[in-house]
Amino acid sequence: MKNSMRKHGLTALLTASLAVTTTALTWGNSAHAAEDVNLYSTRQPFLMKPLTDAFTKETGIKVNMVYLKKGMLERLKTEGMNSPADLILTTDIGNLHNHLKAGLLQSVSSDTLNKRIPVQYRHPDGLWYGLTMRARVIYAHKDRVKPGEITRYEDLAAPHMKGRVCIRSGKHVYNVSLLASMVVALGEDGARTWAKSLRENLARKPQGNDRAQVKAVYEGQCDVAVGNTYYMGKMATNEKSPEQKDWAKSVRIIFPNQADRGTHVNISGAAVTKSARNKANALKLIEYLSSASAQKIYAETNFEYPVLDGVALHPIVASWGTFKADKAYLAKIAEQRSLASRLVDQVAFNK
Ligand code: FE
């Protein structure tokens, strides 16, 4: 670490101390070669390590990854242009957009990425690129919810769902993005009315994570829950907490709005930092992650959907059936996130 400390002073010191506290790969104990790619990731090592290893094997470019469960935005703000990070990987358009708004990203262009990644899942100026997709769906109790009883997000707010809905905090990044997509679809007033009526339909105050909502359905506190698709796969295969298999078995996935605009889909994605010293190889890594072989591993390992067309799905993901996704550009949805967050307060969603 000595050499890099001399190079980046306090920044390297911060990096060194934080890297030690991460359970993931650390920067190692030598200065980084100029061609290395330095990656900050909120995506977990179990998911990223096989991919970065395969990338290194294919290209000879080493990847130094720091896993940051929390605090990536704050860390990049503190490090500024001295940040060693070339590239970030994170989930949800909200997180990518927050880095963009803080001026921490730079635009990169690539014909390969533009060809592989559908236009609604990348920033129009190349400031971020989606790499995997997850749909925000309705989890419905298999018996207590009749087929056809709930088919749209709008139905969550309908009178027949009174006291039957469970959802996590309205301020959580996933729900702010969902509400932002409702702003795009229904306008500000429509989205406010929806959020207000949904709040009135809740079986309990928003609490817990997505899986906790499905647990509440299993336990009979509510009949429907809102959650991301990959949690169904994670619960159904959970050997560490096998009770989650029962939660998963009690529900079916409903892809909302199939007869109209489609289901809200969010992404995990990558972006090149403004401070990147190795922009070219950072771009190579994003391109690698969008390739067919990487997409299969990347999406499958976490029960997500690949952004690249034609890549086989995990059999569990395939078992949920095909669906139509909302075509609205995520960059456009992201611009409505501040408003969506204010609407959550206006309707006292979490109170
Ligand atoms: Fe999640």
Side-chain angles (χ1 to χ4, degrees):
M1 202 41 94
K2 251 185 184 164
N3 285 341
S4 59
M5 260 202 223
R6 266 201 297 275
K7 241 196 286 180
H8 308 312
L10 178 64
T11 302
L13 194 62
L14 272 173
T15 304
S17 63
L18 285 165
V20 169
T21 62
T22 60
T23 53
L25 315 171
T26 66
W27 294 115
N29 53 11
S30 61
H32 307 126
E35 59 274 16
D36 287 8
V37 175
N38 294 336
L39 168 65
Y40 282 2
S41 172
T42 68
R43 306 233 77 190
Q44 294 177 53
F46 86 92
L47 184 60
M48 297 318 301
K49 179 91 166 77
L51 291 161
T52 53
D53 283 354
F55 172 72
T56 302
K57 209 174 153 197
E58 199 177 293
T59 60
I61 301 164
K62 200 177 152 219
V63 180
N64 305 301
M65 172 174 140
V66 171
Y67 167 55
L68 297 165
K69 196 172 179 189
K70 284 196 171 118
M72 188 158 83
L73 179 70
E74 291 69 27
R75 180 161 170 175
L76 284 166
K77 276 186 191 167
T78 306
E79 292 172 345
M81 288 307 280
N82 287 325
S83 175
D86 296 304
L87 186 67
I88 61 164
L89 275 179
T90 188
T91 57
D92 203 282
I93 186 59
N95 291 320
L96 288 164
H97 189 68
N98 287 342
H99 285 81
L100 188 160
K101 273 198 310 189
L104 295 166
L105 307 180
Q106 68 170 301
S107 117
V108 286
S109 67
S110 156
D111 290 344
T112 304
L113 292 177
N114 292 346
K115 206 163 59 195
R116 285 177 180 164
I117 304 172
V119 65
Q120 65 269 35
Y121 303 126
R122 53 182 159 87
H123 188 274
D125 300 324
L127 284 156
W128 47 258
Y129 291 91
L131 291 170
T132 60
M133 307 186 295
R134 57 279 297 283
R136 194 138 184 84
V137 294
I138 295 167
Y139 284 86
H141 189 271
K142 277 179 179 165
D143 305 322
R144 298 197 303 270
V145 180
K146 307 276 170 299
E149 207 182 345
I150 183 159
T151 61
R152 308 176 75 218
Y153 293 113
E154 286 83 340
D155 292 338
L156 292 167
H160 72 288
M161 295 313 293
K162 183 107 195 148
R164 299 173 69 189
V165 185
C166 279
I167 193 166
R168 78 192 304 169
S169 165
K171 285 286 192 181
H172 187 272
V173 65
Y174 299 158
N175 281 338
V176 173
S177 289
L178 174 62
L179 185 52
S181 81
M182 300 299 284
V183 172
V184 171
L186 310 173
E188 178 178 342
D189 290 344
R192 184 187 296 103
T193 304
W194 177 76
K196 192 168 179 286
S197 307
L198 169 56
R199 179 193 172 274
E200 282 159 14
N201 279 352
L202 296 183
R204 58 178 193 176
K205 248 181 45 167
Q207 58 196 272
N209 56 20
D210 277 2
R211 281 187 242 205
Q213 314 313 314
V214 181
K215 178 180 187 234
V217 172
Y218 168 74
E219 289 173 343
Q221 289 186 62
C222 31
D223 293 339
V224 300
V226 176
N228 285 353
T229 38
Y230 53 87
Y231 288 117
M232 185 65 143
K234 283 169 164 293
M235 291 186 292
T237 58
N238 202 318
E239 298 304 334
K240 266 195 205 157
S241 312
E243 67 276 10
Q244 292 192 9
K245 294 182 186 181
D246 295 328
W247 308 350
K249 267 184 226 152
S250 72
V251 293
R252 65 176 187 277
I253 283 181
I254 294 172
F255 293 100
N257 298 74
Q258 291 306 287
D260 47 280
R261 66 181 176 275
T263 299
H264 170 60
V265 164
N266 214 306
I267 52 168
S268 81
V272 176
T273 61
K274 198 163 225 169
S275 64
R277 290 176 180 79
N278 200 343
K279 188 171 158 178
N281 284 353
L283 187 56
K284 271 188 199 154
L285 179 54
I286 305 180
E287 287 180 341
Y288 171 75
L289 292 172
S290 72
S291 68
S293 56
Q295 281 282 295
K296 185 162 163 54
I297 304 169
Y298 198 178
E300 244 188 18
T301 314
N302 199 42
F303 303 101
E304 290 180 272
Y305 295 92
V307 284
L308 183 67
D309 199 28
V311 176
L313 301 176
H314 188 291
I316 289 182
V317 177
S319 75
W320 305 330
T322 54
F323 71 98
K324 175 173 134 186
D326 187 347
K327 285 271 192 295
Y329 285 24
L330 284 184
K332 198 173 154 196
I333 290 173
E335 281 166 15
Q336 300 302 330
R337 292 188 86 261
S338 315
L339 170 60
S341 183
R342 286 198 301 277
L343 294 180
V344 171
D345 292 327
Q346 278 177 22
V347 306
F349 195 85
N350 289 342
K351 297 276 165 60

